[in-house]
Amino acid sequence: MRFRACVENVPTFCKIMQVIDRLQKKCIIQFKPDVMRIICLSDANEAGIQVWSEIKVSTLFNEYRIQSNADNIISMNIASASLLHALQGIQNALATSGTGSGLGGEEVLMKLAKKNDQALLNFALTTPTRTGRLQSLTYDVRIEVLRALDMTKINEPLCPDADTLVLLPSLPTLRSPVERLRALSSTLFVRANIGPPTKLLLEVTGDENEVKVKVEFGVKYVQINRQEEEDAEAPGKDKERLYSVPIVAKSFVKFLNCHIVNGHVIAAICHRHCLILYFYIGSAGADAGGVLTFYIPSLVDDGPM
């Protein structure tokens, strides 16, 4: 089993791990020939969120080499905070040296290693200081290598077809109203129709049903593939109907931490079942640098709609 790569885009890798660390203490990272996957399972965090992400190798790395007996796939359990600490240390060293921001030009080597029979993900950087001397910086992040058999037992959630998909407003725009709604209730109702006009409603009911507050946004209905387009155009489809899913408000707040990464979000509402949030790194669609997919389960049945 061999793996090594140069981390070309340290800032983006660091920001992605900031999002993951705020959600879960441990995650699964799977390196494949073309993509890196980051997986967070719902049984390991109180918010009930699952994250299944695929990030293109070219978004973060160059000189990427991987070899294993499991179809050149290497999977590992890793502490999110430990990996984040290493990346932040490297980013700070790059900033201090004045050589750059980790967007290319500096060689940050990442590779599999072992010390005292402990598997590690090793990071190494050699960079000049402001005085012109060279400094070497290394970080060893403890990992648990997972067998291919272990990974066959971990499956992405099966969800029904989305009833509606909408392009969310920018995440910084959502943060303030969502924080205020969360202060009123632990349950947040996310509702959207097909339209046009297409609207997104975020709604809470206060304690003892005394207060109802909702925030409405004008949004755009989107199609991820041809099937969604055909479903939207199906005869008799009620385009005014608000499809709804009640979720833990804290879950949505945790998702909004993605605002630190440049990207776009498509929200898929599976009525009364779950909310799926597709965070596209950079551009949306095929040109995206990767997709972080958040699955947030329905909390309660919100009655007939």
Side-chain angles (χ1 to χ4, degrees):
M1 183 182 298
R2 297 178 181 178
F3 173 74
R4 63 178 286 156
C6 289
V7 185
E8 186 177 28
N9 193 337
V10 176
T12 297
F13 198 179
C14 192
K15 289 175 182 178
I16 290 171
M17 288 313 304
Q18 280 183 266
V19 173
I20 298 299
D21 181 56
R22 292 175 185 177
L23 176 64
Q24 195 161 294
K25 294 181 179 179
K26 284 193 173 183
C27 64
I28 295 171
I29 291 185
Q30 185 178 65
F31 292 104
K32 304 178 76 171
D34 299 320
V35 298
M36 179 184 75
R37 304 178 77 198
I38 301 178
I39 302 170
C40 298
L41 302 177
S42 59
D43 57 0
N45 68 82
E46 59 179 329
I49 305 174
Q50 287 200 45
V51 180
W52 289 74
S53 55
E54 285 201 351
I55 302 160
K56 295 177 182 177
V57 164
S58 58
T59 300
L60 300 178
F61 311 111
N62 61 22
E63 298 182 27
Y64 184 91
R65 301 170 187 171
I66 187 167
Q67 182 180 353
S68 79
N69 293 329
D71 296 324
N72 295 327
I73 298 172
I74 299 174
S75 307
M76 61 189 70
N77 267 323
I78 192 166
S80 307
S82 298
L83 178 54
L84 176 60
H85 175 71
L87 292 169
Q88 287 177 328
I90 290 168
Q91 184 168 252
N92 291 338
L94 291 170
T96 301
S97 70
T99 59
S101 60
L103 289 170
E106 310 86 17
E107 185 172 273
V108 180
L109 180 63
M110 177 180 69
K111 64 180 180 178
L112 282 181
K114 183 178 284 189
K115 291 184 181 178
N116 300 322
D117 291 327
Q118 171 62 56
L120 304 168
L121 196 58
N122 172 268
F123 293 84
L125 167 68
T126 300
T127 185
T129 65
R130 293 190 182 277
T131 61
R133 292 183 302 172
L134 291 178
Q135 65 172 356
S136 296
L137 184 68
T138 62
Y139 286 93
D140 288 329
V141 181
R142 294 166 62 97
I143 63 172
E144 176 193 0
V145 177
L146 300 174
R147 300 174 302 165
L149 180 61
D150 297 327
M151 292 303 299
T152 62
K153 301 174 184 178
I154 300 173
N155 298 301
E156 194 163 355
L158 291 175
C159 299
D161 292 337
D163 293 291
T164 184
L165 297 101
V166 298
L167 181 65
L168 288 190
S170 69
L171 299 192
T173 300
L174 289 173
R175 281 182 64 84
S176 179
V178 170
E179 288 282 6
R180 293 179 182 180
L181 292 174
R182 179 194 174 195
L184 296 173
S185 175
S186 60
T187 302
L188 174 70
F189 292 86
V190 181
R191 313 184 196 274
N193 65 332
I194 294 175
T198 307
K199 57 186 177 182
L200 169 73
L201 276 73
L202 304 177
E203 184 176 335
V204 297
T205 300
D207 294 337
E208 300 180 1
N209 296 323
E210 291 182 357
V211 179
K212 285 189 177 183
V213 180
K214 66 180 178 181
V215 181
E216 181 175 329
F217 298 89
V219 292
K220 179 182 178 182
Y221 179 80
V222 295
Q223 298 91 31
I224 294 180
N225 56 47
R226 180 64 184 171
Q227 184 61 48
E228 276 94 22
E229 185 176 355
E230 292 174 353
D231 289 344
E233 295 175 353
K237 185 91 171 183
D238 187 354
K239 297 183 179 181
E240 297 299 319
R241 178 183 178 183
L242 287 171
Y243 297 100
S244 176
V245 60
I247 61 173
V248 176
K250 185 177 180 180
S251 298
F252 200 73
V253 171
K254 284 182 175 290
F255 159 74
L256 290 177
N257 287 321
C258 281
H259 79 278
I260 62 176
V261 184
N262 179 38
H264 303 78
V265 184
I266 292 176
I269 294 179
C270 303
H271 187 59
R272 297 184 182 177
H273 184 85
C274 71
L275 175 67
I276 308 173
L277 299 158
Y278 301 97
F279 184 93
Y280 291 87
I281 299 172
S283 302
D287 293 332
V291 184
L292 310 182
T293 304
F294 294 74
Y295 293 89
I296 305 180
S298 176
L299 184 62
V300 294
D301 190 336
D302 60 335
M305 287 291 295

